[in-house]
Amino acid sequence: MVTAVAQRLLSQRKQVDDTLAHFSLNRDQLRVVRDKMRVELERGLRKDSHSSASVKMLPAFVFQTPDGTERGKYLALDLGGTNFRVLVVKIRSGIRKSVRMYNKIYAIPHEIMQGTGEELFDHIVHCISDFLDYMGMKNTRLPLGFTFSFPCRQTGIDKGSLVSWTKGFKATDCEDHDVVDMLRDAIKRRNEFDLDIVAVVNDTVGTMMTCAYEDSKCEIGLIAGTGSNVCYMEDMRNIETVEGDEGQMCVNTEWGGFGENGCIEDIRTKFDREVDEGSLNSGKQRFEKMTSGMYLGEIVRQILIDLTKRGLLFRGRITEPLKTRGIFETKFLSQIERFISTYTLIIALMHLQSLGSTCDDSIIVKEVCGAVSHRAAQLCGAGMAAIVEKIRENRGLEHLEITVGVDGTLYKLHPHFSRVLKDTVRDLAPKCTVSFVLSEDGSGKGAALITAVARRYCDKRRQEWLKLRIDKYLYSMRFSDETLLEIMSRFRRELEKGLSQDTNPTATVKMLPTFVRSIPDGTEKGDFIALDLGGSNFRILRVKVSHEKKQTVQMETEIYDTPEDIIHGSGTRLFDHVAECLGDFMEKHKIKDKKLPVGFTFSFPCAQTKLDEGILLTWTKRFKASGVEGMDVVKLLNKAIKKRGVRFTDIMAVVNDTVGTMMTCGFDDHRCEVGIIIGTGTNACYMEEMRHIELVEGDEGRMCINTEWGAFGDDGMLEDIRTDFDRDIDRGSLNPGKQLFEKMVSGMYMGELVRLILVKMAREGLLFEGRITPELLTKGKFETKHISAIEKSKEGLSKAKEILARLGVEPSADDCIAVQHVCAIVSFRSASLVAATLAAILTRLKDNKHVPRLKTTVGIDGSLYKMHPQYARRLHKTVRRLVPECDVRFLLSESGSGKGAAMVTAWAYRLCGDAQQNLRHSSGDHAGNGRGGESMEV
Ligand code: BG6
Ligand code: BG6
Ligand code: GLC
Ligand code: GLC
């Protein structure tokens, strides 16, 4: 009797063991699985075999893992796992690098999973709407990353058409449709909020990115949950289905489909086939059906039914719960295997709808679960071994160290799955050290990170595209070096024309002798007054140059207004105003009774025959006072001063601001022999050889020449590079037909140039959605200082927004980028043109000196040069490119041109003193402190 019972038990045991033996895979079998997986991976990557491959190897259009610089606020959807989640993800970069997430889980009812596509996406949008309300974010248009855990054929990061539903989804009219379009359409249908869908991402990819944010070695993503799948970073050259060979791209393997071509039939059991036949996608996802949470319970159930039918279990009685498909969820499988004591197991099984009742039954159920889950883990391990080996070979490494980011309830909850998986990988891929990192944050975080990267990439591409469009529109304002060299040689010819006696009368660049013959030599001293008229400020200065041990300069400055009605009124009024300001200055500084020599920086073209005479040739820039052109400004000012009854020494010298600047900089750097102004106006002076200055007697030494390069082009010489905008500016100016180079270059005109361009672009619908406001149409409303603000690298775009808003336009982000680029083109053109003309002066200096390399210093002043964030760098770079044979130091005049004017005055005063002394010595005249009648030169 005992023997009979024992035999029955033994036979029962054997039958159970025989049944479960089909689930036990030995090492060789697993190696075969690994190798077959490898073959399918390769077939999926190759163009010729891709369409028939069971592992689809779908390009994911993710080119890199996160680098920590990602930031911003994103919305993420996570659809396709056990839960549907909507999340907000806030990413910070830099030292405060962190990711904060807020999420809500929503149910997707069964009938919606398997209803129509429209119903499914409407439901998704309904959940988003609820979440946005919950977060109070309905009105913020956030960028969205969409984790969609199904196979998608992507053609870009924001385009993916569903290949086929897997797992529990079967909504109609979705396969072969773009999921991003379907989501967008549903958002439109709801018409409540707007989102910027930037990326569609598989959950494996999201998981890889989530883990890679913490561990840069993470280049594989694994999901062992409801479904089963892997992605990894593949070399572009191996992905034949995508153009390009450079770098890497993530590939979503969709390994769940492995075996669809029959290649693993040898290891599939009748239970696997039964599960497949009862599934929503029979014949498909065969590997997934042997390895993932959605199906393992089903396999267990099929085995239990079989064993029960054969009288080996549950006393041969098939209960209703056992007949129910899906009764065994992954979590139950995990729970059953976790229970150690049989007693607790029985209770659990009874709880699980009375599936088990006896102790033996419970043991068998646990064994069945163990066999099924063990095989699943081994198969995933074999598949993973194929992947890591492939990566190792791709990289030609003896040994690969790599991290796999993992997610999924099976991996997370099952007590043994992860261990068996790891053991198998170790066994089947001995040349790889593989670490597995659990994704704690789900794939939504990864999707947000991908969105951040994609957005940055899109923004960059979009900006490049916008800039390219503007480059094309303003192509005539962009010069090649070839053109600049041509302009440089034209200007060089102009210099020569202006210097020669014969051609000077018809030359546009007047090359005015200044009678300044050298830069300061360090011996200057005294107490002076300097007037500085013609730049953006009218300044009066007291300059004290002392000479104890070392030469030092002390300056006191006052800025005075020059109202429009005065600079456009009569000359007498203008000089009376100057004299009045001077009187005020002397009073304020308590020097009314001091007889201080005066240097007059007068920043306009003056013909000089001596230092203390300047015949104004023509007004430039904003000035237009009547009765001054053709007159000696020194005389006019002296007259006005005398009229006020102010007692002090006469004006000793009149200098152009370029000369004042050169002298100011020459004080600190004795190599300085060029002075340029890039401010309201533009101009340059330099030290020319006397023998070349035919307008002044004498061949010895050098003299500073005020080129008045602002007039370059007044004879039509620059017509090929002038644009219609330049012509408009000229027509609307105070001096049409004059100072044409200045009008392309200097601060007084650049803002206006930009304004005219913006108006034209808006009219053509290229900006501001075609809107033009009265402010935008008002002359002078866009100033050069705005260009400087807009071109600032950090806050430039927000400045653009602010400035344009003040002009009444509500600019879009693209408008701001476009306006910034317009500013850049206009200011770049200015710097390039100045570089060309300055280069001409430098080559002339070099030739004059007969040296193979010129080492020199250029003194510079002017608000455009000083305030614009990029101007100086661009100018310096271009000059160095155009004249590589010159080593140029650019020296900013920190103290304006007044100090330089004082230097000139010091010399003039000393010469005058010497002359007086000589006169006194020869005539015995000791009276008076005025100057002699001689012309003075420095
Ligand atoms: C979640 C991820 O953590 O895991 C999902 O956020 C993913 O994107 C899921 O699909 C997979 O696991 P399961 O078990 O929920 O299918
Ligand atoms: C000042 C000089 O620093 O710069 C002036 O002192 C000169 O002499 C001026 O005219 C040029 O710049 P802006 O921008 O004021 O025209
Ligand atoms: C299924 C899907 C796949 C997904 C996996 C895990 O296999 O086809 O895209 O990654 O499930 O959720
Ligand atoms: C104008 C003047 C010139 C001056 C320059 C810079 O071009 O004509 O003399 O140097 O502006 O202020």
Side-chain angles (χ1 to χ4, degrees):
M1 182 66 186
V2 172
T3 332
V5 172
Q7 266 182 351
R8 188 170 53 82
L9 283 175
L10 271 175
S11 145
Q12 256 187 356
R13 185 69 250 168
K14 186 167 179 319
Q15 287 184 64
V16 171
D17 286 350
D18 285 350
T19 306
L20 297 186
H22 295 290
F23 288 86
S24 146
L25 300 174
N26 63 34
R27 209 173 181 201
D28 288 339
Q29 283 174 303
L30 289 171
R31 280 201 186 120
V32 172
V33 172
R34 175 196 67 191
D35 297 343
K36 283 182 182 168
M37 177 68 89
R38 176 66 190 268
V39 170
E40 285 303 291
L41 296 177
E42 302 292 354
R43 277 170 40 78
L45 286 173
R46 276 206 315 277
K47 218 174 192 164
D48 56 353
S49 47
H50 173 80
S51 58
S52 64
S54 64
V55 178
K56 292 175 206 70
M57 304 298 275
L58 300 169
F61 289 83
V62 168
F63 300 95
Q64 63 188 68
T65 49
D67 62 8
T69 60
E70 299 72 19
R71 61 197 178 101
K73 193 160 150 194
Y74 304 90
L75 200 67
L77 301 182
D78 189 354
L79 178 79
T82 318
N83 295 309
F84 168 46
R85 283 201 192 94
V86 188
L87 314 87
V88 162
V89 185
K90 291 182 187 169
I91 310 171
R92 277 180 167 180
S93 60
I95 40 168
R96 294 190 299 170
K97 185 181 153 187
S98 65
V99 177
R100 292 223 316 256
M101 303 201 290
Y102 308 86
N103 78 84
K104 221 174 153 185
I105 292 176
Y106 293 89
I108 307 237
H110 200 261
E111 58 280 14
I112 284 192
M113 280 188 189
Q114 294 174 22
T116 67
E118 219 172 91
E119 281 162 359
L120 172 63
F121 280 90
D122 282 347
H123 177 71
I124 293 172
V125 172
H126 164 78
C127 299
I128 301 175
S129 166
D130 175 80
F131 181 74
L132 292 175
D133 279 336
Y134 170 73
M135 296 293 293
M137 290 172 123
K138 259 287 170 45
N139 297 322
T140 24
R141 188 174 187 245
L142 289 177
L144 174 106
F146 183 13
T147 304
F148 183 72
S149 308
F150 301 95
C152 279
R153 198 169 295 288
Q154 294 193 238
T155 49
I157 188 66
D158 61 344
K159 288 178 195 69
S161 87
L162 174 64
V163 176
S164 55
W165 285 117
T166 55
K167 300 177 283 190
F169 283 70
K170 197 76 191 165
T172 56
D173 307 319
C174 294
E175 291 178 354
D176 291 329
H177 287 73
D178 191 308
V179 291
V180 174
D181 285 347
M182 287 190 280
L183 182 58
R184 274 195 191 121
D185 290 348
I187 292 174
K188 261 191 215 139
R189 276 198 298 278
R190 193 167 180 99
N191 197 23
E192 255 184 29
F193 55 86
D194 206 2
L195 294 172
D196 185 8
I197 308 168
V198 177
V200 59
V201 177
N202 188 264
D203 53 354
T204 53
V205 185
T207 300
M208 177 186 79
M209 296 295 270
T210 300
C211 297
Y213 190 64
E214 314 295 340
D215 174 355
S216 61
K217 280 215 185 80
C218 179
E219 295 178 88
I220 303 175
L222 165 69
I223 297 284
T226 316
S228 173
N229 193 13
V230 164
C231 73
Y232 72 101
M233 294 305 289
E234 176 57 274
D235 291 353
M236 277 292 280
R237 64 189 151 91
N238 294 334
I239 314 173
E240 292 184 7
T241 49
V242 179
E243 298 266 311
D245 279 348
E246 291 299 305
Q248 295 193 314
M249 188 197 274
C250 181
V251 169
N252 164 19
T253 65
E254 287 293 328
W255 80 5
F258 179 47
E260 280 175 16
N261 57 357
C263 70
I264 49 169
E265 285 314 294
D266 54 333
I267 56 163
R268 282 178 88 220
T269 64
K270 67 171 184 168
F271 307 108
D272 295 310
R273 290 189 188 97
E274 274 157 12
V275 167
D276 179 36
E277 276 154 26
S279 69
L280 284 174
N281 52 353
S282 173
K284 300 270 165 62
Q285 300 294 97
R286 291 190 188 171
F287 189 66
E288 178 160 84
K289 286 171 187 164
M290 297 166 86
T291 52
S292 82
M294 176 153 171
Y295 305 98
L296 297 192
E298 250 326 86
I299 300 173
V300 168
R301 193 179 67 90
Q302 293 296 344
I303 300 171
L304 297 187
I305 290 177
D306 179 78
L307 294 179
T308 312
K309 272 186 187 160
R310 285 156 60 198
L312 304 169
L313 204 59
F314 305 140
R315 297 192 189 91
R317 199 165 47 86
I318 299 180
T319 57
E320 272 315 301
L322 196 56
K323 283 189 207 155
T324 316
R325 186 178 298 150
I327 189 88
F328 247 92
E329 294 177 39
T330 328
K331 60 180 178 196
F332 295 157
L333 204 87
S334 303
Q335 279 168 8
I336 289 169
E337 286 195 65
R338 192 172 289 133
F339 289 120
I340 310 291
S341 99
T342 313
Y343 174 74
T344 48
L345 179 57
I346 294 169
I347 302 290
L349 283 178
M350 284 173 73
H351 186 66
L352 280 178
Q353 325 227 357
S354 17
L355 276 178
S357 48
T358 71
C359 183
D360 288 348
D361 287 346
S362 314
I363 292 169
I364 291 173
V365 171
K366 189 174 174 184
E367 280 175 3
V368 172
C369 291
V372 171
S373 63
H374 192 266
R375 184 188 66 162
Q378 283 185 316
L379 287 175
C380 283
M384 186 56 77
I387 302 262
V388 291
E389 262 303 296
K390 170 142 184 64
I391 297 176
R392 186 185 68 78
E393 284 172 31
N394 277 350
R395 300 182 187 177
L397 296 173
E398 247 330 284
H399 188 87
L400 173 76
E401 255 186 57
I402 199 159
T403 300
V404 181
V406 198
D407 206 345
T409 40
L410 181 58
Y411 185 92
K412 283 203 256 201
L413 301 180
H414 194 281
H416 313 303
F417 187 92
S418 65
R419 180 183 44 77
V420 177
L421 167 75
K422 288 174 195 169
D423 289 348
T424 313
V425 177
R426 201 175 306 121
D427 195 28
L428 299 189
K431 293 183 177 170
C432 304
T433 306
V434 186
S435 312
F436 289 80
V437 172
L438 187 63
S439 156
E440 303 285 354
D441 301 321
S443 64
K445 172 169 158 183
L449 289 165
I450 292 171
T451 308
V453 174
R455 198 128 185 268
R456 194 164 59 196
Y457 182 72
C458 284
D459 281 357
K460 220 170 121 199
R461 289 285 295 268
R462 180 150 187 77
Q463 287 193 12
E464 275 164 14
W465 178 82
L466 258 170
K467 286 179 183 172
L468 223 78
R469 202 166 73 152
I470 291 166
D471 285 348
K472 270 193 190 156
Y473 191 78
L474 297 178
Y475 73 95
S476 53
M477 290 191 140
R478 294 164 51 83
F479 304 134
S480 64
D481 275 4
E482 212 182 351
T483 308
L484 293 178
L485 286 167
E486 163 60 23
I487 292 165
M488 167 178 147
S489 58
R490 280 185 212 171
F491 186 65
R492 178 78 199 256
R493 286 196 295 276
E494 285 297 299
L495 294 178
E496 278 142 27
K497 199 170 163 189
L499 284 173
S500 140
Q501 196 149 18
D502 297 341
T503 46
N504 178 275
T506 58
T508 52
V509 178
K510 282 292 174 211
M511 304 298 279
L512 302 167
T514 64
F515 293 85
V516 170
R517 291 177 186 266
S518 79
I519 55 161
D521 66 0
T523 60
E524 303 77 7
K525 60 176 177 180
D527 198 352
F528 308 96
I529 285 187
L531 303 177
D532 187 356
L533 181 74
S536 38
N537 293 309
F538 167 39
R539 287 199 192 96
I540 304 183
L541 309 89
R542 180 176 179 192
V543 186
K544 280 195 250 181
V545 191
S546 58
H547 222 280
E548 291 146 21
K549 277 191 200 156
K550 200 171 142 235
Q551 193 181 30
T552 48
V553 178
Q554 266 186 313
M555 297 199 291
E556 295 160 20
T557 312
E558 300 285 339
I559 292 179
Y560 290 91
D561 251 8
T562 41
E564 189 99 348
D565 59 318
I566 288 189
I567 60 179
H568 292 171
S570 74
T572 318
R573 227 180 123 206
L574 171 66
F575 285 99
D576 282 350
H577 174 70
V578 173
E580 189 183 325
C581 296
L582 186 56
D584 173 84
F585 181 87
M586 298 188 73
E587 198 140 319
K588 232 187 208 160
H589 292 259
K590 304 193 174 46
I591 44 174
K592 235 171 44 184
D593 301 321
K594 285 206 167 175
K595 292 162 186 164
L596 303 182
V598 177
F600 183 17
T601 304
F602 184 68
S603 308
F604 301 94
C606 286
Q608 293 187 262
T609 53
K610 50 187 179 180
L611 256 185
D612 56 351
E613 175 198 78
I615 315 283
L616 176 65
L617 295 177
T618 171
W619 283 118
T620 55
K621 302 179 283 191
R622 291 182 215 286
F623 282 65
K624 197 77 189 163
S626 59
V628 187
E629 287 174 353
M631 307 293 282
D632 178 1
V633 292
V634 176
K635 277 203 180 116
L636 293 179
L637 183 55
N638 266 331
K639 206 168 132 193
I641 288 168
K642 296 265 149 65
K643 215 159 69 184
R644 282 188 60 82
V646 187
R647 284 178 52 230
F648 49 77
T649 319
D650 291 334
I651 297 161
M652 307 294 297
V654 58
V655 292
N656 186 264
D657 51 356
T658 54
V659 184
T661 299
M662 181 186 80
M663 296 297 274
T664 300
C665 295
F667 180 81
D668 297 315
D669 180 342
H670 294 289
R671 271 222 175 85
C672 186
E673 49 189 345
V674 183
I676 65 176
I677 298 283
I678 311 167
T680 317
T682 184
N683 191 15
C685 70
Y686 72 102
M687 297 302 293
E688 179 57 271
E689 303 296 317
M690 274 298 285
R691 64 181 189 282
H692 295 147
I693 309 172
E694 294 183 4
L695 299 171
V696 182
E697 295 271 310
D699 279 349
E700 286 306 304
R702 301 202 293 172
M703 180 181 280
C704 178
I705 291 290
N706 166 17
T707 65
E708 286 293 327
W709 76 15
F712 180 33
D714 287 5
D715 55 355
M717 184 64 84
L718 294 178
E719 284 319 290
D720 53 342
I721 59 160
R722 284 177 79 226
T723 63
D724 287 343
F725 303 113
D726 298 306
R727 294 189 179 96
D728 278 355
I729 291 274
D730 180 43
R731 270 194 290 275
S733 69
L734 284 174
N735 50 353
K738 294 202 175 144
Q739 300 290 101
L740 297 187
F741 179 73
E742 180 161 86
K743 286 170 188 165
M744 295 170 85
V745 163
S746 79
M748 176 156 165
Y749 308 97
M750 254 174 52
E752 193 54 13
L753 259 173
V754 169
R755 189 187 67 84
L756 291 180
I757 295 169
L758 300 188
V759 168
K760 179 152 188 264
M761 287 181 75
R763 282 212 170 106
E764 290 171 19
L766 296 170
L767 276 180
F768 317 135
E769 288 177 343
R771 278 187 319 262
I772 297 174
T773 60
E775 291 93 331
L776 195 60
L777 286 174
T778 311
K779 193 173 164 190
K781 277 280 175 187
F782 196 94
E783 297 176 42
T784 302
K785 66 177 183 201
H786 295 146
I787 298 180
S788 299
I790 288 173
E791 282 196 65
K792 282 195 177 135
S793 52
K794 263 198 179 156
E795 69 244 57
L797 288 176
S798 56
K799 287 278 171 212
K801 196 167 177 192
E802 208 179 294
I803 291 161
L804 292 169
R806 264 187 262 133
L807 291 178
V809 278
E810 271 172 38
S812 65
D814 281 1
D815 284 336
C816 294
I817 294 166
V819 170
Q820 190 179 54
H821 198 56
V822 169
C823 290
I825 290 180
V826 170
S827 62
F828 212 109
R829 183 182 72 153
S830 163
S832 304
L833 287 173
V834 171
T837 45
L838 177 59
I841 292 181
L842 295 169
T843 55
R844 178 145 184 105
L845 277 173
K846 180 178 151 293
D847 292 352
N848 281 349
K849 293 184 180 180
H850 305 292
V851 287
R853 286 197 76 75
L854 175 76
K855 202 165 173 167
T856 193
T857 299
V858 175
I860 310 196
D861 204 348
S863 45
L864 179 53
Y865 180 86
K866 284 202 276 207
M867 315 271 288
H868 190 285
Q870 334 268 359
Y871 198 99
R873 189 179 44 84
R874 289 177 190 160
L875 172 71
H876 304 171
K877 253 176 106 170
T878 315
V879 168
R880 285 178 185 133
R881 241 182 19 248
L882 295 181
V883 278
E885 66 281 16
C886 298
D887 301 320
V888 191
R889 177 179 183 218
F890 291 88
L891 186 58
L892 179 67
S893 157
E894 302 284 358
S895 43
S897 65
K899 179 163 129 189
M903 294 296 143
V904 178
T905 311
W907 281 35
Y909 192 62
R910 193 162 64 194
L911 280 177
C912 167
D914 292 348
Q916 295 243 322
Q917 291 256 316
N918 292 341
L919 217 67
R920 268 186 239 127
H921 283 307
S922 57
S923 67
D925 174 12
H926 293 271
N929 53 11
R931 316 167 2 219
E934 287 180 355
S935 67
M936 260 166 288
E937 296 178 3
V938 174

